[in-house]
Amino acid sequence: MSETIQNNQTGQTPQAQPKRKRILSGIQPTGTPTLGNYVGAVRNWALLQNDYDCLYMVADLHSLTVREEPAALRRRTRELAALLLAAGIDPVNSVLFVQSHVPAHTQLSWVLACNTQFGELSRMTQFKDKSAKHPDNVNGGLFTYPVLMAADILIYNADLVPVGQDQTQHLEITRDIAQRFNNLYGPTFTLPEGYVPAAGAKIMSLAEPAKKMSKSDPNVNSFVLMTDDRDTIVRKFKRAVTDSEGSVRFDVQNKPGVSNLMTIYSAFTGKAMADIEAEFAGKGYGDFKLAVAETVADALVPIQTEYGRILADKAYVDGVLKDGAARASRLADRLVAKVYRKVGLLQPER
C-alpha cells in the first residue's frame, strides 16, 4: 500500500496513490497446459502484473479429487511452476506458490464448509460432470471442491478472479459464502468479481469445435500443448476440423471450426476478424491453417526455450516456490486468525 509522504519543499501533502486491486488465480498440475489455457489464462496472467497485485497458485490440492500417481504429481507441480515463470510470471512483483504449501487454505475451507449448504454444493455442475466421468470415485473432496476454491479466493481478499465462461458458477458460490459469513459475523471478506479477458477467453477443440479444448481429450489432435514442438503444432492444425465451404469467415454457429481458428489467429496477431477474412480471401483452408500453426509455433518457441532453462535449475524453481509460500502465508494466516476469532475458536497465546 502506498503511504502519504510529506513534501518538505512545498509543505504540501500529496494524495496517496490508490491501492491496486488484488487478483488470485490458480491452475491444476494435471498435465501440461494447452493452447487454450495459455490464451485464456496464462498469457493474461503475465499482462495483469503491470496493473494489479497478483497471486498465482499451482492448485495441487484440487487435483486430488481424481487419483494421481504421487511421483508424477510432484514432478508436474514443479514443471508447471517453471512453465508459468517461462510464460512471464515475475516472482518478484507477483506471488507464485503451491496451494498445499499454505496450510491456511484448508484451515479456512473447514470454517467455510460449515457455512455452506448441502443443497448449494449438490447443484454444482462440475460435481455432476466429474461424477459422471469418474463414477468409481465420487469422493467427498469432489463434492466440497467449491468450498476449497472459495477459501483460495477469500483468504487473500481478492478483488478479481480471472474466470472462464464455465467457471462463473464457482465464483457465484464463493460470493454467496462470503456474503453469508459477513452477515453472520460482520465484514470479513471482500466479495470478488470475475475478470474475463476481452478476447480469446475460450479456445475450442481442433477436432470438435463445439467443445472446449482440453488436455484430457482422448484425441491428441484436438489440443495443442504449450510444449508441443513446431512439427507437432503444424500437424495438429493441418488436421483441424473446418467445413466444406472453403472460405475464411467468422460465423461461430455455422462455421465453428473456422471461427475457432480465426479466434486463435486473432489472439496471437491482434488482428480483427474482418482483417483476417480479408487476408485470406480467395485462399484455401490449407494456407489458412498453416498460417495459424506457424503463428502459434512462433509465439511458443521463446517460452519453450525459457522453460527448458528454468526447469533445469531445480534449486531456483524450489526457491521461488518457497518464497512465494512464505509471502502468501503472511497474508493467509492473518485472515484465518481473524476468522477463527470471529467464529469463537480459542486461540493460543503468541
Side-chain angles (χ1 to χ4, degrees):
M1 294 179 64
S2 301
E3 296 180 355
T4 302
I5 302 174
Q6 181 73 29
N7 187 317
N8 293 326
Q9 292 181 333
T10 65
Q12 296 178 345
T13 302
Q15 289 186 342
Q17 294 295 317
K19 179 184 176 183
R20 298 206 305 180
K21 289 189 174 182
R22 181 173 292 165
I23 281 183
L24 180 283
S25 196
I27 185 170
Q28 292 187 39
T30 51
T32 303
T34 67
L35 184 66
N37 298 134
Y38 177 66
V39 172
V42 175
R43 184 177 65 164
N44 293 303
W45 290 4
L47 299 175
L48 291 171
Q49 296 174 120
N50 298 324
D51 301 310
Y52 300 94
D53 289 332
C54 299
L55 296 102
Y56 295 127
M57 174 182 72
V58 180
D60 57 341
L61 291 175
H62 285 300
S63 68
L64 296 180
T65 57
V66 297
R67 293 284 180 261
E68 295 285 351
E69 200 282 308
L73 178 58
R74 284 189 289 270
R75 185 191 72 248
R76 290 197 303 265
T77 298
R78 184 178 288 111
E79 289 174 347
L80 180 55
L83 191 57
L84 294 176
L85 291 168
I89 301 302
D90 182 348
V92 175
N93 293 326
S94 297
V95 180
L96 176 63
F97 67 100
V98 176
Q99 184 185 25
S100 65
H101 293 181
V102 183
H105 284 245
T106 51
Q107 292 175 308
L108 179 59
S109 181
W110 173 251
V111 177
L112 296 184
C114 294
N115 287 274
T116 306
Q117 299 303 302
F118 183 91
E120 291 176 302
L121 295 176
S122 65
R123 290 191 293 270
M124 297 299 291
T125 302
Q126 189 177 64
F127 173 71
K128 297 175 183 177
D129 291 346
K130 285 199 171 184
S131 296
K133 290 181 180 178
H134 304 280
D136 58 332
N137 185 28
V138 184
N139 56 75
L142 183 61
F143 187 71
T144 58
Y145 178 104
V147 181
L148 179 56
M149 183 175 287
D152 298 333
I153 299 167
L154 298 177
I155 202 166
Y156 301 108
N157 274 324
D159 300 287
L160 298 170
V161 182
V163 292
Q165 297 171 4
D166 57 346
Q167 296 173 314
T168 55
Q169 193 181 30
H170 285 104
L171 183 60
E172 289 170 0
I173 194 173
T174 296
R175 287 174 57 87
D176 290 342
I177 294 169
Q179 186 66 67
R180 182 178 297 124
F181 191 95
N182 288 349
N183 290 339
L184 286 170
Y185 299 103
T188 306
F189 299 118
T190 297
L191 298 185
E193 300 287 343
Y195 177 90
V196 180
K202 194 170 185 179
I203 302 300
M204 312 306 286
S205 163
L206 298 182
E208 298 178 72
K211 293 171 29 179
K212 183 179 177 181
M213 182 178 285
S214 171
K215 58 180 172 280
S216 62
D217 195 312
N219 182 355
V220 296
N221 291 311
S222 70
F223 56 83
V224 172
L225 298 177
M226 286 183 66
T227 53
D228 280 346
D229 59 37
R230 179 176 293 271
D231 289 343
T232 301
I233 292 172
V234 170
R235 183 178 70 253
K236 289 182 177 181
F237 274 106
K238 282 184 175 180
R239 295 177 178 176
V241 169
T242 50
D243 52 54
S244 59
E245 184 180 301
S247 64
V248 177
R249 178 170 55 85
F250 191 76
D251 182 344
V252 175
Q253 182 173 356
N254 298 308
K255 297 172 68 67
V258 172
S259 298
N260 186 42
L261 295 178
M262 291 178 71
T263 298
I264 295 170
Y265 192 62
S266 174
F268 284 98
T269 63
K271 295 180 179 180
M273 296 304 175
D275 294 331
I276 297 173
E277 290 176 359
E279 180 181 351
F280 294 98
K283 297 181 181 179
Y285 286 156
D287 291 336
F288 175 50
K289 290 180 179 182
L290 182 60
V292 177
E294 291 182 338
T295 298
V296 169
D298 289 344
L300 293 181
V301 163
I303 298 173
Q304 293 169 351
T305 301
E306 183 69 356
Y307 169 63
R309 184 190 69 80
I310 292 173
L311 188 60
D313 192 345
K314 177 177 176 291
Y316 169 71
V317 176
D318 290 353
V320 167
L321 295 178
K322 181 178 180 180
D323 178 69
R327 293 164 66 193
S329 292
R330 282 194 291 272
L331 297 171
D333 290 346
R334 284 200 298 268
L335 192 283
V336 166
K338 181 179 181 180
V339 168
Y340 275 19
R341 185 172 62 254
K342 286 198 171 191
V343 299
L345 297 178
L346 180 64
Q347 298 300 290
E349 294 293 333
R350 297 187 183 278

